Amino acid sequence: QVQLVETGGGLVQTGGSLRVSCAASVITVSINDMGWYRQAPGKQRELVAEITRGGRTNYADSVKGRFTISRDNAKNTVDLQMNSLKPEDTAVYYCNTVKRGLRGELYGDYSWGQGTQVTVSS
């Protein structure tokens, strides 16, 4: 089965930058719409950035202008460049496909990995 491994998180001060990367165990990125999700303590997981198979990108309002999602089909990876980080960006970041169910619910196809922790201090 497909496994997704997220790396690159860490501790950064407000205003700093981090780049997180997602690697899939088998060919996945090129044939799916992919996204980066995050989950802060006590909150639900949310989609913050997505990139379609055709290269279109969408961002949550909270990160628009600061985050950039990209994919490398040859390497089977999808990255998230995070700039101008804020304490409210603190969360565990996950990658997965971006799918919508029959009633419009958002979900990923694959089991959630451990994610990568991003902590932004003041």
Side-chain angles (χ1 to χ4, degrees):
Q1 296 195 53
V2 173
Q3 289 184 314
L4 301 171
V5 179
E6 302 93 345
T7 59
L11 174 64
V12 65
Q13 293 184 341
T14 298
S17 297
L18 282 173
R19 188 179 183 93
V20 291
S21 182
C22 172
S25 60
V26 298
I27 298 297
T28 301
V29 172
S30 63
I31 61 174
N32 288 284
D33 300 338
M34 299 296 298
W36 278 95
Y37 304 74
R38 70 184 182 189
Q39 187 168 27
K43 297 182 179 179
Q44 291 186 314
R45 184 181 290 113
E46 63 173 335
L47 178 67
V48 297
E50 62 177 319
I51 183 165
T52 70
R53 289 163 288 178
R56 292 183 291 108
T57 59
N58 293 292
Y59 301 93
D61 288 342
S62 59
V63 308
K64 190 175 299 181
R66 300 188 296 119
F67 290 12
T68 303
I69 188 170
S70 61
R71 69 201 305 155
D72 188 327
N73 291 339
K75 295 195 296 185
N76 201 31
T77 58
V78 57
D79 289 1
L80 184 69
Q81 177 67 46
M82 301 179 288
N83 298 325
S84 302
L85 283 162
K86 305 173 181 179
E88 50 263 44
D89 295 318
T90 296
V92 178
Y93 284 71
Y94 305 87
C95 65
N96 214 320
T97 64
V98 179
K99 299 288 182 67
R100 289 174 172 84
L102 295 176
R103 301 191 66 180
E105 69 272 23
L106 190 66
Y107 71 96
D109 279 331
Y110 307 115
S111 298
W112 298 101
Q114 293 187 345
T116 187
Q117 176 71 52
V118 171
T119 303
V120 184
S121 63
S122 300

PDB file of all heavy atoms in Angstrom, residues 1-37:
ATOM      1  N   GLN A   1       0.828  -1.181   0.000  1.00  0.00           N
ATOM      2  CA  GLN A   1       0.000   0.000   0.000  1.00  0.00           C
ATOM      3  C   GLN A   1       0.877   1.251   0.000  1.00  0.00           C
ATOM      4  O   GLN A   1       2.044   1.198   0.378  1.00  0.00           O
ATOM      5  CB  GLN A   1      -0.926   0.011   1.215  1.00  0.00           C
ATOM      6  CG  GLN A   1      -1.919  -1.122   1.233  1.00  0.00           C
ATOM      7  CD  GLN A   1      -3.034  -0.866   2.225  1.00  0.00           C
ATOM      8  OE1 GLN A   1      -3.663   0.181   2.177  1.00  0.00           O
ATOM      9  NE2 GLN A   1      -3.267  -1.830   3.097  1.00  0.00           N
ATOM     10  N   VAL A   2       0.266   2.334  -0.393  1.00  0.00           N
ATOM     11  CA  VAL A   2       0.979   3.592  -0.444  1.00  0.00           C
ATOM     12  C   VAL A   2       1.264   4.082   0.968  1.00  0.00           C
ATOM     13  O   VAL A   2       0.386   4.080   1.835  1.00  0.00           O
ATOM     14  CB  VAL A   2       0.177   4.649  -1.214  1.00  0.00           C
ATOM     15  CG1 VAL A   2       0.843   6.020  -1.111  1.00  0.00           C
ATOM     16  CG2 VAL A   2       0.033   4.235  -2.665  1.00  0.00           C
ATOM     17  N   GLN A   3       2.502   4.488   1.171  1.00  0.00           N
ATOM     18  CA  GLN A   3       2.890   5.140   2.400  1.00  0.00           C
ATOM     19  C   GLN A   3       3.410   6.529   2.079  1.00  0.00           C
ATOM     20  O   GLN A   3       4.122   6.725   1.100  1.00  0.00           O
ATOM     21  CB  GLN A   3       3.961   4.344   3.139  1.00  0.00           C
ATOM     22  CG  GLN A   3       3.463   3.047   3.747  1.00  0.00           C
ATOM     23  CD  GLN A   3       4.534   2.350   4.550  1.00  0.00           C
ATOM     24  OE1 GLN A   3       5.667   2.228   4.101  1.00  0.00           O
ATOM     25  NE2 GLN A   3       4.178   1.899   5.741  1.00  0.00           N
ATOM     26  N   LEU A   4       3.033   7.476   2.905  1.00  0.00           N
ATOM     27  CA  LEU A   4       3.451   8.850   2.747  1.00  0.00           C
ATOM     28  C   LEU A   4       4.284   9.241   3.952  1.00  0.00           C
ATOM     29  O   LEU A   4       3.857   9.056   5.093  1.00  0.00           O
ATOM     30  CB  LEU A   4       2.241   9.767   2.616  1.00  0.00           C
ATOM     31  CG  LEU A   4       1.290   9.466   1.452  1.00  0.00           C
ATOM     32  CD1 LEU A   4       0.023  10.307   1.564  1.00  0.00           C
ATOM     33  CD2 LEU A   4       1.982   9.739   0.122  1.00  0.00           C
ATOM     34  N   VAL A   5       5.454   9.774   3.686  1.00  0.00           N
ATOM     35  CA  VAL A   5       6.375  10.141   4.745  1.00  0.00           C
ATOM     36  C   VAL A   5       6.675  11.623   4.654  1.00  0.00           C
ATOM     37  O   VAL A   5       7.170  12.102   3.636  1.00  0.00           O
ATOM     38  CB  VAL A   5       7.679   9.330   4.665  1.00  0.00           C
ATOM     39  CG1 VAL A   5       8.633   9.752   5.782  1.00  0.00           C
ATOM     40  CG2 VAL A   5       7.385   7.840   4.761  1.00  0.00           C
ATOM     41  N   GLU A   6       6.385  12.326   5.726  1.00  0.00           N
ATOM     42  CA  GLU A   6       6.605  13.760   5.790  1.00  0.00           C
ATOM     43  C   GLU A   6       7.874  14.056   6.575  1.00  0.00           C
ATOM     44  O   GLU A   6       8.108  13.472   7.634  1.00  0.00           O
ATOM     45  CB  GLU A   6       5.418  14.463   6.460  1.00  0.00           C
ATOM     46  CG  GLU A   6       4.080  14.236   5.763  1.00  0.00           C
ATOM     47  CD  GLU A   6       3.290  13.066   6.326  1.00  0.00           C
ATOM     48  OE1 GLU A   6       3.859  12.243   7.065  1.00  0.00           O
ATOM     49  OE2 GLU A   6       2.080  12.976   6.026  1.00  0.00           O
ATOM     50  N   THR A   7       8.659  14.972   6.065  1.00  0.00           N
ATOM     51  CA  THR A   7       9.888  15.378   6.724  1.00  0.00           C
ATOM     52  C   THR A   7      10.055  16.886   6.618  1.00  0.00           C
ATOM     53  O   THR A   7       9.372  17.546   5.848  1.00  0.00           O
ATOM     54  CB  THR A   7      11.122  14.696   6.113  1.00  0.00           C
ATOM     55  OG1 THR A   7      11.210  15.021   4.715  1.00  0.00           O
ATOM     56  CG2 THR A   7      11.045  13.186   6.255  1.00  0.00           C
ATOM     57  N   GLY A   8      10.970  17.407   7.384  1.00  0.00           N
ATOM     58  CA  GLY A   8      11.362  18.799   7.255  1.00  0.00           C
ATOM     59  C   GLY A   8      10.842  19.746   8.306  1.00  0.00           C
ATOM     60  O   GLY A   8      11.200  20.928   8.299  1.00  0.00           O
ATOM     61  N   GLY A   9      10.003  19.266   9.190  1.00  0.00           N
ATOM     62  CA  GLY A   9       9.489  20.137  10.227  1.00  0.00           C
ATOM     63  C   GLY A   9      10.561  20.509  11.234  1.00  0.00           C
ATOM     64  O   GLY A   9      11.681  20.006  11.204  1.00  0.00           O
ATOM     65  N   GLY A  10      10.195  21.392  12.121  1.00  0.00           N
ATOM     66  CA  GLY A  10      11.133  21.819  13.135  1.00  0.00           C
ATOM     67  C   GLY A  10      10.620  23.002  13.905  1.00  0.00           C
ATOM     68  O   GLY A  10       9.443  23.361  13.828  1.00  0.00           O
ATOM     69  N   LEU A  11      11.509  23.595  14.655  1.00  0.00           N
ATOM     70  CA  LEU A  11      11.205  24.762  15.469  1.00  0.00           C
ATOM     71  C   LEU A  11      11.773  25.999  14.798  1.00  0.00           C
ATOM     72  O   LEU A  11      12.948  26.033  14.422  1.00  0.00           O
ATOM     73  CB  LEU A  11      11.802  24.602  16.868  1.00  0.00           C
ATOM     74  CG  LEU A  11      11.694  25.788  17.820  1.00  0.00           C
ATOM     75  CD1 LEU A  11      10.228  26.086  18.135  1.00  0.00           C
ATOM     76  CD2 LEU A  11      12.479  25.514  19.088  1.00  0.00           C
ATOM     77  N   VAL A  12      10.938  27.003  14.651  1.00  0.00           N
ATOM     78  CA  VAL A  12      11.361  28.231  14.003  1.00  0.00           C
ATOM     79  C   VAL A  12      10.705  29.416  14.698  1.00  0.00           C
ATOM     80  O   VAL A  12       9.614  29.286  15.259  1.00  0.00           O
ATOM     81  CB  VAL A  12      11.013  28.205  12.497  1.00  0.00           C
ATOM     82  CG1 VAL A  12       9.502  28.181  12.294  1.00  0.00           C
ATOM     83  CG2 VAL A  12      11.641  29.367  11.756  1.00  0.00           C
ATOM     84  N   GLN A  13      11.368  30.538  14.679  1.00  0.00           N
ATOM     85  CA  GLN A  13      10.802  31.743  15.259  1.00  0.00           C
ATOM     86  C   GLN A  13       9.805  32.399  14.314  1.00  0.00           C
ATOM     87  O   GLN A  13       9.816  32.161  13.102  1.00  0.00           O
ATOM     88  CB  GLN A  13      11.905  32.741  15.608  1.00  0.00           C
ATOM     89  CG  GLN A  13      12.818  32.294  16.734  1.00  0.00           C
ATOM     90  CD  GLN A  13      13.838  33.349  17.110  1.00  0.00           C
ATOM     91  OE1 GLN A  13      14.120  34.263  16.340  1.00  0.00           O
ATOM     92  NE2 GLN A  13      14.396  33.234  18.301  1.00  0.00           N
ATOM     93  N   THR A  14       8.946  33.206  14.873  1.00  0.00           N
ATOM     94  CA  THR A  14       7.994  33.958  14.075  1.00  0.00           C
ATOM     95  C   THR A  14       8.709  34.710  12.960  1.00  0.00           C
ATOM     96  O   THR A  14       9.728  35.356  13.188  1.00  0.00           O
ATOM     97  CB  THR A  14       7.215  34.937  14.948  1.00  0.00           C
ATOM     98  OG1 THR A  14       6.468  34.213  15.928  1.00  0.00           O
ATOM     99  CG2 THR A  14       6.260  35.778  14.124  1.00  0.00           C
ATOM    100  N   GLY A  15       8.166  34.596  11.766  1.00  0.00           N
ATOM    101  CA  GLY A  15       8.762  35.238  10.611  1.00  0.00           C
ATOM    102  C   GLY A  15       9.736  34.368   9.847  1.00  0.00           C
ATOM    103  O   GLY A  15      10.161  34.745   8.751  1.00  0.00           O
ATOM    104  N   GLY A  16      10.062  33.235  10.394  1.00  0.00           N
ATOM    105  CA  GLY A  16      10.992  32.336   9.749  1.00  0.00           C
ATOM    106  C   GLY A  16      10.344  31.486   8.684  1.00  0.00           C
ATOM    107  O   GLY A  16       9.157  31.615   8.383  1.00  0.00           O
ATOM    108  N   SER A  17      11.144  30.593   8.123  1.00  0.00           N
ATOM    109  CA  SER A  17      10.691  29.749   7.029  1.00  0.00           C
ATOM    110  C   SER A  17      11.056  28.296   7.272  1.00  0.00           C
ATOM    111  O   SER A  17      12.048  27.988   7.936  1.00  0.00           O
ATOM    112  CB  SER A  17      11.323  30.194   5.709  1.00  0.00           C
ATOM    113  OG  SER A  17      10.933  31.512   5.360  1.00  0.00           O
ATOM    114  N   LEU A  18      10.249  27.426   6.731  1.00  0.00           N
ATOM    115  CA  LEU A  18      10.514  26.002   6.720  1.00  0.00           C
ATOM    116  C   LEU A  18       9.988  25.428   5.416  1.00  0.00           C
ATOM    117  O   LEU A  18       9.049  25.968   4.826  1.00  0.00           O
ATOM    118  CB  LEU A  18       9.837  25.280   7.889  1.00  0.00           C
ATOM    119  CG  LEU A  18      10.466  25.376   9.276  1.00  0.00           C
ATOM    120  CD1 LEU A  18       9.540  24.736  10.299  1.00  0.00           C
ATOM    121  CD2 LEU A  18      11.830  24.705   9.302  1.00  0.00           C
ATOM    122  N   ARG A  19      10.595  24.339   5.013  1.00  0.00           N
ATOM    123  CA  ARG A  19      10.119  23.606   3.848  1.00  0.00           C
ATOM    124  C   ARG A  19       9.903  22.163   4.260  1.00  0.00           C
ATOM    125  O   ARG A  19      10.841  21.488   4.685  1.00  0.00           O
ATOM    126  CB  ARG A  19      11.120  23.687   2.698  1.00  0.00           C
ATOM    127  CG  ARG A  19      10.608  23.095   1.380  1.00  0.00           C
ATOM    128  CD  ARG A  19      11.652  23.242   0.278  1.00  0.00           C
ATOM    129  NE  ARG A  19      11.184  22.760  -1.015  1.00  0.00           N
ATOM    130  CZ  ARG A  19      10.603  23.515  -1.930  1.00  0.00           C
ATOM    131  NH1 ARG A  19      10.423  24.810  -1.713  1.00  0.00           N
ATOM    132  NH2 ARG A  19      10.203  22.987  -3.086  1.00  0.00           N
ATOM    133  N   VAL A  20       8.679  21.718   4.151  1.00  0.00           N
ATOM    134  CA  VAL A  20       8.362  20.343   4.465  1.00  0.00           C
ATOM    135  C   VAL A  20       8.171  19.572   3.175  1.00  0.00           C
ATOM    136  O   VAL A  20       7.729  20.118   2.161  1.00  0.00           O
ATOM    137  CB  VAL A  20       7.123  20.224   5.374  1.00  0.00           C
ATOM    138  CG1 VAL A  20       7.430  20.760   6.759  1.00  0.00           C
ATOM    139  CG2 VAL A  20       5.921  20.945   4.787  1.00  0.00           C
ATOM    140  N   SER A  21       8.511  18.302   3.223  1.00  0.00           N
ATOM    141  CA  SER A  21       8.479  17.478   2.037  1.00  0.00           C
ATOM    142  C   SER A  21       7.717  16.194   2.315  1.00  0.00           C
ATOM    143  O   SER A  21       7.753  15.658   3.425  1.00  0.00           O
ATOM    144  CB  SER A  21       9.907  17.147   1.573  1.00  0.00           C
ATOM    145  OG  SER A  21       9.903  16.377   0.388  1.00  0.00           O
ATOM    146  N   CYS A  22       7.042  15.713   1.307  1.00  0.00           N
ATOM    147  CA  CYS A  22       6.276  14.482   1.389  1.00  0.00           C
ATOM    148  C   CYS A  22       6.745  13.543   0.292  1.00  0.00           C
ATOM    149  O   CYS A  22       6.748  13.917  -0.891  1.00  0.00           O
ATOM    150  CB  CYS A  22       4.786  14.783   1.236  1.00  0.00           C
ATOM    151  SG  CYS A  22       3.720  13.334   1.090  1.00  0.00           S
ATOM    152  N   ALA A  23       7.127  12.348   0.681  1.00  0.00           N
ATOM    153  CA  ALA A  23       7.561  11.342  -0.278  1.00  0.00           C
ATOM    154  C   ALA A  23       6.619  10.153  -0.236  1.00  0.00           C
ATOM    155  O   ALA A  23       6.296   9.646   0.836  1.00  0.00           O
ATOM    156  CB  ALA A  23       8.989  10.896   0.033  1.00  0.00           C
ATOM    157  N   ALA A  24       6.206   9.708  -1.389  1.00  0.00           N
ATOM    158  CA  ALA A  24       5.312   8.563  -1.497  1.00  0.00           C
ATOM    159  C   ALA A  24       6.095   7.313  -1.849  1.00  0.00           C
ATOM    160  O   ALA A  24       7.083   7.369  -2.585  1.00  0.00           O
ATOM    161  CB  ALA A  24       4.237   8.820  -2.546  1.00  0.00           C
ATOM    162  N   SER A  25       5.648   6.188  -1.327  1.00  0.00           N
ATOM    163  CA  SER A  25       6.369   4.941  -1.524  1.00  0.00           C
ATOM    164  C   SER A  25       6.262   4.392  -2.933  1.00  0.00           C
ATOM    165  O   SER A  25       7.155   3.690  -3.396  1.00  0.00           O
ATOM    166  CB  SER A  25       5.873   3.895  -0.517  1.00  0.00           C
ATOM    167  OG  SER A  25       4.491   3.648  -0.683  1.00  0.00           O
ATOM    168  N   VAL A  26       5.178   4.668  -3.593  1.00  0.00           N
ATOM    169  CA  VAL A  26       4.983   4.277  -4.975  1.00  0.00           C
ATOM    170  C   VAL A  26       4.471   5.493  -5.731  1.00  0.00           C
ATOM    171  O   VAL A  26       4.125   6.505  -5.131  1.00  0.00           O
ATOM    172  CB  VAL A  26       4.002   3.096  -5.127  1.00  0.00           C
ATOM    173  CG1 VAL A  26       4.549   1.856  -4.426  1.00  0.00           C
ATOM    174  CG2 VAL A  26       2.631   3.451  -4.581  1.00  0.00           C
ATOM    175  N   ILE A  27       4.435   5.362  -7.050  1.00  0.00           N
ATOM    176  CA  ILE A  27       3.983   6.482  -7.867  1.00  0.00           C
ATOM    177  C   ILE A  27       2.591   6.919  -7.429  1.00  0.00           C
ATOM    178  O   ILE A  27       1.627   6.158  -7.498  1.00  0.00           O
ATOM    179  CB  ILE A  27       3.985   6.113  -9.354  1.00  0.00           C
ATOM    180  CG1 ILE A  27       5.409   5.781  -9.812  1.00  0.00           C
ATOM    181  CG2 ILE A  27       3.402   7.250 -10.188  1.00  0.00           C
ATOM    182  CD1 ILE A  27       6.372   6.945  -9.693  1.00  0.00           C
ATOM    183  N   THR A  28       2.509   8.146  -6.966  1.00  0.00           N
ATOM    184  CA  THR A  28       1.275   8.681  -6.400  1.00  0.00           C
ATOM    185  C   THR A  28       1.050  10.130  -6.786  1.00  0.00           C
ATOM    186  O   THR A  28      -0.052  10.519  -7.166  1.00  0.00           O
ATOM    187  CB  THR A  28       1.293   8.570  -4.863  1.00  0.00           C
ATOM    188  OG1 THR A  28       1.436   7.195  -4.475  1.00  0.00           O
ATOM    189  CG2 THR A  28       0.013   9.137  -4.263  1.00  0.00           C
ATOM    190  N   VAL A  29       2.085  10.921  -6.666  1.00  0.00           N
ATOM    191  CA  VAL A  29       1.958  12.361  -6.794  1.00  0.00           C
ATOM    192  C   VAL A  29       1.465  12.773  -8.173  1.00  0.00           C
ATOM    193  O   VAL A  29       0.634  13.674  -8.305  1.00  0.00           O
ATOM    194  CB  VAL A  29       3.301  13.041  -6.455  1.00  0.00           C
ATOM    195  CG1 VAL A  29       3.250  14.533  -6.775  1.00  0.00           C
ATOM    196  CG2 VAL A  29       3.644  12.814  -4.989  1.00  0.00           C
ATOM    197  N   SER A  30       1.965  12.127  -9.188  1.00  0.00           N
ATOM    198  CA  SER A  30       1.647  12.524 -10.552  1.00  0.00           C
ATOM    199  C   SER A  30       0.221  12.182 -10.968  1.00  0.00           C
ATOM    200  O   SER A  30      -0.300  12.777 -11.911  1.00  0.00           O
ATOM    201  CB  SER A  30       2.633  11.894 -11.538  1.00  0.00           C
ATOM    202  OG  SER A  30       2.534  10.482 -11.517  1.00  0.00           O
ATOM    203  N   ILE A  31      -0.392  11.247 -10.293  1.00  0.00           N
ATOM    204  CA  ILE A  31      -1.699  10.762 -10.711  1.00  0.00           C
ATOM    205  C   ILE A  31      -2.816  11.147  -9.751  1.00  0.00           C
ATOM    206  O   ILE A  31      -3.946  10.671  -9.889  1.00  0.00           O
ATOM    207  CB  ILE A  31      -1.690   9.231 -10.910  1.00  0.00           C
ATOM    208  CG1 ILE A  31      -1.339   8.507  -9.608  1.00  0.00           C
ATOM    209  CG2 ILE A  31      -0.707   8.849 -12.011  1.00  0.00           C
ATOM    210  CD1 ILE A  31      -1.461   7.001  -9.698  1.00  0.00           C
ATOM    211  N   ASN A  32      -2.503  11.990  -8.810  1.00  0.00           N
ATOM    212  CA  ASN A  32      -3.491  12.433  -7.837  1.00  0.00           C
ATOM    213  C   ASN A  32      -3.407  13.928  -7.617  1.00  0.00           C
ATOM    214  O   ASN A  32      -2.348  14.534  -7.800  1.00  0.00           O
ATOM    215  CB  ASN A  32      -3.287  11.747  -6.487  1.00  0.00           C
ATOM    216  CG  ASN A  32      -3.670  10.291  -6.492  1.00  0.00           C
ATOM    217  OD1 ASN A  32      -4.860   9.965  -6.466  1.00  0.00           O
ATOM    218  ND2 ASN A  32      -2.671   9.413  -6.526  1.00  0.00           N
ATOM    219  N   ASP A  33      -4.510  14.495  -7.217  1.00  0.00           N
ATOM    220  CA  ASP A  33      -4.470  15.819  -6.625  1.00  0.00           C
ATOM    221  C   ASP A  33      -3.923  15.649  -5.209  1.00  0.00           C
ATOM    222  O   ASP A  33      -4.404  14.814  -4.444  1.00  0.00           O
ATOM    223  CB  ASP A  33      -5.857  16.448  -6.566  1.00  0.00           C
ATOM    224  CG  ASP A  33      -6.495  16.597  -7.934  1.00  0.00           C
ATOM    225  OD1 ASP A  33      -5.763  16.621  -8.943  1.00  0.00           O
ATOM    226  OD2 ASP A  33      -7.731  16.706  -7.995  1.00  0.00           O
ATOM    227  N   MET A  34      -2.906  16.410  -4.882  1.00  0.00           N
ATOM    228  CA  MET A  34      -2.230  16.253  -3.607  1.00  0.00           C
ATOM    229  C   MET A  34      -2.407  17.485  -2.734  1.00  0.00           C
ATOM    230  O   MET A  34      -2.598  18.600  -3.231  1.00  0.00           O
ATOM    231  CB  MET A  34      -0.740  16.007  -3.818  1.00  0.00           C
ATOM    232  CG  MET A  34      -0.405  14.758  -4.617  1.00  0.00           C
ATOM    233  SD  MET A  34      -0.924  13.229  -3.787  1.00  0.00           S
ATOM    234  CE  MET A  34       0.063  13.287  -2.284  1.00  0.00           C
ATOM    235  N   GLY A  35      -2.319  17.254  -1.444  1.00  0.00           N
ATOM    236  CA  GLY A  35      -2.472  18.368  -0.536  1.00  0.00           C
ATOM    237  C   GLY A  35      -1.653  18.228   0.725  1.00  0.00           C
ATOM    238  O   GLY A  35      -1.223  17.133   1.089  1.00  0.00           O
ATOM    239  N   TRP A  36      -1.437  19.350   1.341  1.00  0.00           N
ATOM    240  CA  TRP A  36      -0.861  19.399   2.670  1.00  0.00           C
ATOM    241  C   TRP A  36      -1.957  19.773   3.657  1.00  0.00           C
ATOM    242  O   TRP A  36      -2.684  20.749   3.436  1.00  0.00           O
ATOM    243  CB  TRP A  36       0.285  20.405   2.760  1.00  0.00           C
ATOM    244  CG  TRP A  36       1.588  19.866   2.275  1.00  0.00           C
ATOM    245  CD1 TRP A  36       2.129  19.990   1.041  1.00  0.00           C
ATOM    246  CD2 TRP A  36       2.518  19.104   3.057  1.00  0.00           C
ATOM    247  NE1 TRP A  36       3.345  19.356   0.987  1.00  0.00           N
ATOM    248  CE2 TRP A  36       3.605  18.800   2.206  1.00  0.00           C
ATOM    249  CE3 TRP A  36       2.536  18.650   4.374  1.00  0.00           C
ATOM    250  CZ2 TRP A  36       4.705  18.060   2.649  1.00  0.00           C
ATOM    251  CZ3 TRP A  36       3.624  17.912   4.813  1.00  0.00           C
ATOM    252  CH2 TRP A  36       4.687  17.622   3.950  1.00  0.00           C
ATOM    253  N   TYR A  37      -2.056  18.997   4.685  1.00  0.00           N
ATOM    254  CA  TYR A  37      -2.999  19.219   5.760  1.00  0.00           C
ATOM    255  C   TYR A  37      -2.228  19.523   7.035  1.00  0.00           C
ATOM    256  O   TYR A  37      -1.055  19.201   7.157  1.00  0.00           O
ATOM    257  CB  TYR A  37      -3.859  17.981   6.012  1.00  0.00           C
ATOM    258  CG  TYR A  37      -4.623  17.444   4.826  1.00  0.00           C
ATOM    259  CD1 TYR A  37      -3.983  16.757   3.796  1.00  0.00           C
ATOM    260  CD2 TYR A  37      -6.013  17.585   4.758  1.00  0.00           C
ATOM    261  CE1 TYR A  37      -4.689  16.235   2.722  1.00  0.00           C
ATOM    262  CE2 TYR A  37      -6.727  17.065   3.698  1.00  0.00           C
ATOM    263  CZ  TYR A  37      -6.061  16.391   2.685  1.00  0.00           C
ATOM    264  OH  TYR A  37      -6.781  15.866   1.629  1.00  0.00           O
TER     265      TYR A  37
END
